[in-house]
Amino acid sequence: MGKTLFDKIWDAHVVRHIADGPDQLYIDRHYCHEVTSPQAFDGLRRRGLKVFRPERTVCSPDHNIPTHDQDLPIADPVSARQVSTLMQNASDFGLRIFPIGSERNGIIHVVGPETGLTLPGQTLVCGDSHTSTHGAVGAVAFGVGTSEVEMVLASQCIIQDKPKTMRITVDGTLAPGVTAKDIALYIIARLGTGGATGHFVEYAGEAVRSLSMEGRMTLCNMSIEMGARGGMVAPDETTFAYLHGREFAPTGEEWEKAVAFWRTLPSDPDARFDREISFDAADIEPRVTYGTNPGMGIGISETVPPLPDAADPSRPSVEAALAYMGFVPGQSLEGTPVDYVFLGSCTNGRFEDFEAFARAVEGRRRHPSVTAWLVPGSQQVAAQIRAAGLDKILAEADFELRQPGCSACLAMNDDKIPAGALAVSTSNRNFEGRQGPGARTVLASPIMAAAAAVTGKITDPRKL
């Protein structure tokens, strides 16, 4: 029997298999930010250990950094301490770090692929659930907890149960205005927030193959929101073209050898998955969420679903979600007034996301009732935006480009949505208080966010 993409990579990295137990898995690349790492480094100090392979770990502050005045000291004392602690730990243990303001700084899940540190066939971990982003290049990438961060620092290995495999195939052609974000929100709504629990998902099919690398990253990024351990897309010519010439990617003869190996990674024709699910791209339209988890979503032409039956155990949570959001069953979200728009995060903070947003608002103006935060995912993305002249298009439409960081994806820095305000956000989670205490979040694609920003309400972007 043939092997899946996931099995090929995982099996090649097993150092030791524990009978009737987990695997000791070698990790090629470890990413580190300021939130989950301090206790791990403290653990090394207590045990008198060094980082086993420091060249395999790369650090970048992202969650706590402000997206304005980055040349000044961080004003918030908690954030300042988080970032300074990461800087000190990187220095003490001899690790590569991309400091605030440096040309490589940014959200680590944006920085990794754009610099060529993330490559096909690798195993990657980070103390962050959205590490699944890196699977877009054809890697096994997943988030780990603080104790596991310490384990990787100390040994370059991790003890992990091997997940099951799932293939989600999306065939057909995407309609105009439908993006990778819409595919992700559609799949999560269909499967539920626990629909892929215990599985590593490979995305396949014509619609997935048609996505750019940045679109594939968006899709893999959202895998965790349906309970998956991670998501991945088989490497192909799109992958190779994206990685060629990246700063840390192989060069010359080593590049040719690497590509030859990467071509062997896609799942074999006779490979078996533990679960197979298929969708038709024609069924997907621009989408928004109406509740307080990413699975509570609808197409823009649809209405908020009816409440579950009274005997359904999920009914109280659905009622609570609708009460929090201020929506009711049968309501169309199109036309709902919007207070904030956020473009950014490791889900949609890449150049193509800003390009799509800029083209949608070109020749229009930001609605005066909307506060818009446009936050590139990295310094490199910001440079690309300026080089393409998108910053001028945005400025003419009355939008300001902020400095890179995680920003309003989560309430861990200055960019918090006020209580009660409704935000159309391109980030990955719409949990209660995720973007600020009492904030209400509607997840959407960059062009849906652009439509809301210029109309002041949730608007079908196809009508612009």
Side-chain angles (χ1 to χ4, degrees), residues 217-236:
M217 290 176 208
T218 297
L219 183 58
C220 290
N221 174 277
M222 296 288 289
S223 302
I224 196 71
E225 309 309 337
M226 56 183 175
R229 198 72 183 89
M232 58 199 315
V233 177
D236 58 13

Side-chain angles (χ1 to χ4, degrees), residues 21-103:
D23 290 330
Q24 181 186 12
L25 191 72
Y26 182 78
I27 302 301
D28 292 310
R29 180 71 66 202
H30 176 215
Y31 292 123
C32 208
H33 54 61
E34 71 273 27
V35 179
T36 55
S37 64
Q39 298 90 339
F41 285 110
D42 286 347
L44 295 186
R45 289 189 180 94
R46 284 194 301 272
R47 296 194 288 160
L49 298 176
K50 296 180 179 180
V51 174
F52 180 57
R53 290 191 171 165
E55 74 280 2
R56 296 284 179 172
T57 293
V58 177
C59 309
S60 183
D62 51 17
H63 283 57
N64 289 85
I65 65 177
T67 60
H68 56 85
D69 300 321
Q70 288 186 351
D71 56 321
L72 301 177
I74 298 175
D76 178 68
V78 174
S79 293
R81 184 178 179 186
Q82 289 269 63
V83 173
S84 65
T85 299
L86 178 64
M87 295 292 294
Q88 188 63 55
N89 284 329
S91 175
D92 290 350
F93 289 92
L95 306 178
R96 185 194 299 271
I97 188 166
F98 303 146
I100 299 175
S102 67
E103 63 181 10

Side-chain angles (χ1 to χ4, degrees), residues 357 361-374 390-401 453-454:
F357 188 100
V361 303
E362 190 171 10
R364 298 179 169 89
R365 297 279 293 178
R366 178 183 59 84
H367 194 276
S369 69
V370 173
T371 299
W373 290 337
L374 277 53
L390 299 184
D391 56 331
K392 295 181 175 63
I393 294 173
L394 294 170
E396 288 171 2
D398 196 28
F399 292 96
E400 177 189 356
L401 200 63
V454 296

Side-chain angles (χ1 to χ4, degrees), residues 24 83 93 99 116 143 161 190 198 202 266 300 381 428 432 456:
Q24 181 186 12
V83 173
F93 289 92
D161 289 317
R190 290 290 301 271
E202 179 180 340
I300 189 62
V381 170
N428 41 51
E432 289 188 25

Side-chain angles (χ1 to χ4, degrees), residues 150-457:
E150 183 178 345
M151 192 184 301
V152 175
L153 290 171
S155 68
Q156 207 55 45
C157 291
I158 194 171
I159 301 297
Q160 194 82 186
D161 289 317
K162 186 178 182 180
K164 295 179 179 179
T165 56
M166 175 189 291
R167 180 161 58 187
I168 296 178
T169 302
V170 185
D171 275 323
T173 303
L174 295 173
V178 177
T179 70
K181 184 62 163 290
D182 299 305
I183 299 175
L185 290 174
Y186 176 83
I187 293 172
I188 298 166
R190 290 290 301 271
L191 298 185
T193 54
T197 298
H199 293 76
F200 227 93
V201 174
E202 179 180 340
Y203 297 99
E206 180 186 356
V208 173
R209 290 192 299 272
S210 73
L211 295 175
S212 67
M213 279 307 304
E214 299 196 350
R216 296 176 187 188
M217 290 176 208
T218 297
L219 183 58
C220 290
N221 174 277
M222 296 288 289
S223 302
I224 196 71
E225 309 309 337
M226 56 183 175
R229 198 72 183 89
M232 58 199 315
V233 177
D236 58 13
E237 296 305 320
T238 299
T239 317
F240 310 148
Y242 174 86
L243 290 172
H244 189 258
R246 301 279 169 180
E247 183 179 4
F248 297 109
T251 58
E253 214 172 289
E254 292 304 311
W255 169 259
E256 299 302 328
K257 289 179 182 176
V259 171
F261 167 62
W262 296 341
R263 292 187 191 280
T264 69
L265 291 175
S267 296
D268 297 324
D270 58 341
R272 288 188 182 178
F273 293 80
D274 294 299
R275 288 184 68 190
E276 290 258 21
I277 298 173
S278 296
F279 297 106
D280 188 342
D283 296 332
I284 307 174
E285 65 172 335
R287 296 183 69 81
V288 289
T289 58
Y290 61 87
T292 54
N293 69 60
M296 300 177 77
I298 53 175
I300 189 62
S301 69
E302 299 174 330
T303 59
V304 176
L307 289 172
D309 294 337
D312 192 317
S314 70
R315 181 170 176 131
S317 64
V318 174
E319 288 180 320
L322 292 180
Y324 181 86
M325 292 299 296
F327 299 145
V328 296
Q331 177 181 350
S332 170
L333 295 195
E334 190 170 6
T336 303
V338 171
D339 303 301
Y340 281 75
V341 164
F342 170 55
L343 173 65
S345 83
C346 60
T347 312
N348 284 122
R350 297 175 179 82
F351 173 74
E352 287 182 9
D353 302 313
F354 282 80
E355 185 177 41
F357 188 100
R359 297 308 175 196
V361 303
E362 190 171 10
R364 298 179 169 89
R365 297 279 293 178
R366 178 183 59 84
H367 194 276
S369 69
V370 173
T371 299
W373 290 337
L374 277 53
V375 186
S378 71
Q379 292 287 353
Q380 185 169 311
V381 170
Q384 287 178 282
I385 291 169
R386 290 190 292 269
L390 299 184
D391 56 331
K392 295 181 175 63
I393 294 173
L394 294 170
E396 288 171 2
D398 196 28
F399 292 96
E400 177 189 356
L401 200 63
R402 296 171 79 91
Q403 293 173 300
C406 287
S407 185
C409 176
L410 75 173
M412 202 174 280
N413 51 70
D414 295 344
D415 299 347
K416 296 178 177 65
I417 307 298
L422 183 71
V424 171
S425 176
T426 65
S427 52
N428 41 51
R429 286 180 174 163
N430 53 338
F431 303 157
E432 289 188 25
R434 169 78 176 182
Q435 293 193 285
R440 300 181 298 144
T441 301
V442 170
L443 299 178
S445 72
I447 55 174
M448 181 75 79
V454 296
T455 62
K457 55 190 177 183

